[in-house]
Amino acid sequence: MAYMASAPPGSPRQTGPAKFPPGQEKSGSSCQGFLKSKVKADLLFGKLFSFDVPVLMWDEHFTPMTWSSLRDRNVPYGWHSLPYSVLSSTLKLMNDSANSWLFDARPPGNCVRCAVVGNGGILNGSRQGKAIDDHDFVFRLNGAVIRGFEEDVGTKTSFYGFTVNTMKNSLKAYKEDGFIKIPQSEDLRYIFIPSDLRDYLMLKSAILGISVPEGHDEGDRPSKYFGPQASAKKFKLLHPDFLTYIRSRFLTSRRMKSKYGHLYMPSTGALMLMTALHTCDQVSAYGFITDNYEHFSDHYYERVKKPLFFYANHDLLLEAKLWKGLHQHGIMKLYQR
């Protein structure tokens, strides 16, 4: 696999996000900073990781400098063709202090242990539910079916990651498999991946508590997805510079040079896993593609085995090499069987 060590175009000038509210950045845990120190000591990945890249975007990032940097880059890596008025009005609503940090509170023991749960068939019959729930924070994404699979995938959800497109497609495609609504709870936080204009419009409407006023999702009510009391603090927004950095440093695919290159972006699962790898002290990945993916169904909740289908907009085999490499270098744990 060819990892890129050069800086991504338009490298971010902002500093990395705070993980916790002010006053909670305390030391003392033997595990605190474990992943970061492991990365820095690694000859390969030490050159690729940059913990100064901003993972999240909030209102303070909407500056003339940021606009100038991002307006010529296509989504999801920038804002080309996106109306300034929509971006401005949306990001100004991301003004709760909680929008600038990922975790609301530091867990007991001062060690941030995260599980990122993909939807791969490898989890069917895995009995990994308890191990997943034993983590401090659990990331889920897209068609995250839980009911009936608790023993395999657990029940805890701290973060749910998606684009509006993947969320809605999952609700349609996996309805018969039990995915009838996205996870909701008072403590759950939603991570928007800004892949298109509709993500900014949905986010804005969700914070304001109104129907989407225009575009592809016009008239849709965000409250049916995120609940009626979804204030600004429930939402996190990945920074376009973070998406650029992930693609340029870790997941530069040959597909980018094909006729479908304009469609390529890392998968939702990849972006959630990379988010965890840049914010947590320990990371375990469950339900992600492994070398023997052909032994398992596409998703863990399918009643009849379906082969994993490779779409042009992702490069899952490239992602598989990355997860394997990170596991072999001891930077994260990849569940395999």
Side-chain angles (χ1 to χ4, degrees):
M1 171 175 189
Y3 299 103
M4 285 186 64
S6 58
S11 295
R13 296 175 176 84
Q14 296 97 345
T15 58
K19 296 182 185 179
F20 300 97
Q24 292 195 18
E25 293 288 357
K26 301 176 182 178
S27 59
S29 168
S30 60
C31 142
Q32 186 180 3
F34 172 81
L35 190 151
K36 185 180 292 188
S37 62
K38 193 79 175 179
V39 164
K40 289 182 177 179
D42 191 276
L43 293 177
L44 172 60
F45 288 105
K47 298 177 181 178
L48 301 179
F49 275 78
S50 173
F51 294 99
D52 291 329
V53 175
V55 176
L56 301 178
M57 171 168 274
W58 62 96
D59 67 324
E60 291 185 5
H61 281 178
F62 194 70
T63 65
M65 181 181 294
T66 306
W67 170 253
S68 177
S69 172
L70 297 179
R71 66 183 177 183
D72 294 326
R73 280 191 255 155
N74 292 326
V75 289
Y77 311 104
W79 292 336
H80 182 63
S81 79
L82 299 185
Y84 181 94
S85 59
V86 172
L87 294 169
S88 176
S89 59
T90 301
L91 290 171
K92 284 180 180 178
L93 295 173
M94 298 291 285
N95 58 10
D96 191 289
S97 56
N99 300 135
S100 66
W101 58 68
L102 192 64
F103 307 110
D104 288 347
R106 182 175 282 281
N110 227 20
C111 177
V112 186
R113 298 173 300 113
C114 299
V116 185
V117 185
N119 302 320
I122 192 173
L123 285 176
N124 190 299
S126 66
R127 297 181 179 271
Q128 293 299 303
K130 184 179 184 305
I132 290 170
D133 284 347
D134 281 345
H135 289 78
D136 299 301
F137 300 98
V138 177
F139 295 71
R140 299 185 193 272
L141 53 118
N142 295 343
V145 179
I146 291 178
R147 187 174 181 179
F149 297 92
E150 295 89 346
E151 196 171 64
D152 292 335
V153 302
T155 60
K156 180 190 293 186
T157 305
S158 311
F159 298 98
Y160 176 76
F162 61 99
T163 70
V164 171
N165 184 58
T166 62
M167 177 186 72
K168 289 196 168 188
N169 284 346
S170 295
L171 287 167
K172 292 178 182 178
Y174 311 125
K175 182 178 180 179
E176 293 185 359
D177 296 311
F179 191 62
I180 57 176
K181 68 175 184 178
I182 71 171
Q184 292 183 12
S185 75
E186 183 179 348
D187 296 331
L188 190 149
R189 300 294 179 255
Y190 299 104
I191 301 179
F192 269 80
I193 300 171
S195 69
D196 202 347
L197 175 63
R198 62 192 302 202
D199 296 290
Y200 291 98
L201 288 170
M202 180 67 75
L203 175 57
K204 175 182 176 180
S205 302
I207 295 173
L208 292 176
I210 62 173
S211 297
V212 179
E214 60 180 296
H216 190 278
D217 304 294
E218 183 177 354
D220 202 0
R221 295 177 293 105
S223 59
K224 70 182 181 182
Y225 306 114
F226 314 116
Q229 305 298 325
S231 63
K233 70 178 182 180
K234 287 189 73 71
F235 301 105
K236 318 290 180 179
L237 177 67
L238 291 188
H239 200 301
D241 276 333
F242 182 66
L243 306 185
T244 301
Y245 155 76
I246 296 304
R247 182 190 65 172
S248 299
R249 294 283 185 99
F250 299 94
L251 293 170
T252 304
S253 174
R254 293 178 181 176
R255 297 188 181 192
M256 293 167 61
K257 296 182 179 180
S258 73
K259 63 179 180 180
Y260 301 109
H262 64 288
L263 298 174
Y264 173 74
M265 67 179 290
S267 69
T268 306
L271 293 174
M272 287 302 99
L273 186 46
M274 295 306 290
T275 297
L277 285 165
H278 284 76
T279 51
C280 305
D281 294 316
Q282 292 180 356
V283 175
S284 299
Y286 299 85
F288 282 77
I289 185 171
T290 55
D291 286 343
N292 60 343
Y293 69 88
E294 293 179 333
H295 295 177
F296 310 104
S297 190
D298 191 357
H299 301 103
Y300 62 81
Y301 38 77
E302 289 159 343
R303 296 177 180 86
V304 178
K305 182 179 177 181
K306 299 178 182 178
L308 176 60
F309 190 83
F310 295 94
Y311 294 92
N313 60 329
H314 302 314
D315 193 338
L316 296 185
L317 292 179
L318 181 64
E319 292 181 10
K321 292 180 181 179
L322 177 58
W323 312 146
K324 182 178 180 179
L326 288 165
H327 175 81
Q328 290 177 335
H329 285 243
I331 293 170
M332 75 172 198
K333 293 183 179 179
L334 176 66
Y335 174 69
Q336 304 174 78
R337 56 191 285 210

